[in-house]
Amino acid sequence: MPAFDPRVTPARPDLAAKYLEGKVEAARFVEGKSREVIEPQAPLRSAPRPDALLLTEALWGERMTIYEANGEGWAWGQLAVDGYVGWLPESALGPPGAPATHKVAALRTLVFPGPSIKLPPLAGLPLGSTLAVARFEDRLAIISGGGYVPAAHLRPVGEFESDFVAVAERFAGVPYLWGGKTALGLDCSGLVQVALTACGIPCPRDSDMQEAAVGMPVTPAGDCANLQRGDLLFWKGHVAIVRGSDSLIHANAFHMAVAVEPMTGAIERIRQAGSELTSVRRLGRG
């Protein structure tokens, strides 16, 4: 049997997705059931425990195929957007709703229970959340299933940002959170994924996946003299975004935040910590 990346392959020795039958070994294969995330963000964990490693986060409106519910409040499956596999609280999932018409374009927006922003909000939705808008009233969008969202914070699902670096810059100062991908906390690859997705550019979840799949290599990797805005700098287990000729932005554990800092200083600090640049990737031509 060929080797598959377990992070994006819904297969275990006892259970696997039906579409993998004949490709992986498992005791049984199941079709899976489609579900939708109904919490602002839901933790996808490595095991069915609240203290297990946070792998990534699923956002409101995201679809997930569930292959097992363990009877103890956890469901195991695969996210539709980036294919990541893990355990999600069952309480964060519901039946698929109407197809999404809009997405959240603000770092965070609020869902109100009625047509007044003076009402206590029901939830706060992060950038990239998707929802079905039933209709608009004044400056509010009424979403399918109930709830009112400021229309100014929404964009049609087919409308994208034009500068993913500018999207990343909006997260400056946000706390570093391993596995996070919202303005409440995110990690280096989460920042890149959220920013690129906002611009309609498909992006896998982890930095090694991004290094293999996003953009084209710029050579030599160690030559920073000709870097361009939007280039991605990769180290083993880390990624940063070039802002211009002299600075970069990245979510990092040194600052425990999304930080903008001088490029040469950041590269040297990481080198002193024992990690060299492994590659530079450039989106588009070049």
Side-chain angles (χ1 to χ4, degrees):
M1 294 285 183
F4 291 91
D5 189 334
R7 294 172 294 180
V8 291
T9 307
R12 309 181 326 221
D14 63 319
L15 177 67
K18 185 70 173 179
Y19 74 84
L20 291 171
E21 192 167 8
K23 301 177 182 179
V24 301
E25 295 182 356
R28 62 190 179 97
F29 295 85
V30 298
E31 289 288 354
K33 297 179 180 180
S34 180
R35 291 292 182 266
E36 183 173 309
V37 176
I38 57 174
E39 294 290 338
Q41 69 254 17
L44 190 78
R45 298 194 181 276
S46 61
R49 307 190 314 272
D51 61 346
L53 179 69
L54 179 64
L55 301 174
T56 187
E57 291 180 309
L59 307 183
W60 176 292
E62 192 167 347
R63 299 295 173 93
M64 184 177 189
T65 302
I66 299 302
Y67 297 102
E68 181 190 40
N70 71 353
E72 298 178 356
W74 292 87
W76 181 78
Q78 184 173 34
L79 297 175
V81 173
D82 58 20
Y84 225 103
V85 173
W87 292 91
L88 204 72
E90 280 192 274
S91 60
L93 298 168
T101 61
H102 289 74
K103 59 188 176 182
V104 175
L107 279 187
R108 204 163 191 87
T109 193
L110 298 174
V111 181
F112 297 96
S116 172
I117 60 172
K118 296 180 181 179
L119 296 171
L122 300 172
L125 305 185
L127 175 74
S129 301
T130 55
L131 38 81
V133 173
R135 65 186 187 277
F136 292 90
E137 287 186 4
D138 297 325
R139 300 172 62 187
L140 295 172
I142 303 173
I143 61 177
S144 178
Y148 294 71
V149 177
H153 291 171
L154 303 180
R155 296 289 183 274
V157 291
E159 184 178 305
F160 301 104
E161 300 279 353
S162 60
D163 183 353
F164 84 91
V165 182
V167 176
E169 289 171 335
R170 292 161 61 188
F171 286 88
V174 167
Y176 179 85
L177 174 65
W178 182 278
K181 51 186 293 184
T182 79
L184 296 180
L186 75 178
D187 60 17
C188 65
S189 56
L191 177 65
V192 171
Q193 186 188 48
V194 168
L196 287 176
T197 300
C199 294
I201 302 170
C203 181
R205 179 58 178 89
D206 293 343
S207 61
D208 64 319
M209 298 173 174
Q210 295 169 357
E211 186 173 18
V214 177
M216 298 295 292
V218 176
T219 54
D223 181 9
C224 297
N226 297 311
L227 293 180
Q228 298 178 7
R229 179 178 172 87
D231 285 349
L232 300 177
L233 307 182
F234 289 95
W235 296 261
K236 182 177 175 58
H238 188 58
V239 59
I241 305 168
V242 175
R243 295 178 66 241
S245 61
D246 59 355
S247 67
L248 53 76
I249 183 169
H250 57 156
N252 66 94
F254 179 81
H255 295 94
M256 284 305 296
V258 177
V260 173
E261 58 180 320
M263 189 185 319
T264 54
I267 291 173
E268 180 58 28
R269 187 187 72 249
I270 297 172
R271 178 181 292 118
Q272 291 295 325
S275 187
E276 296 284 347
L277 272 172
T278 55
S279 71
V280 177
R281 307 281 294 188
R282 181 170 297 162
L283 281 75
R285 302 180 65 180

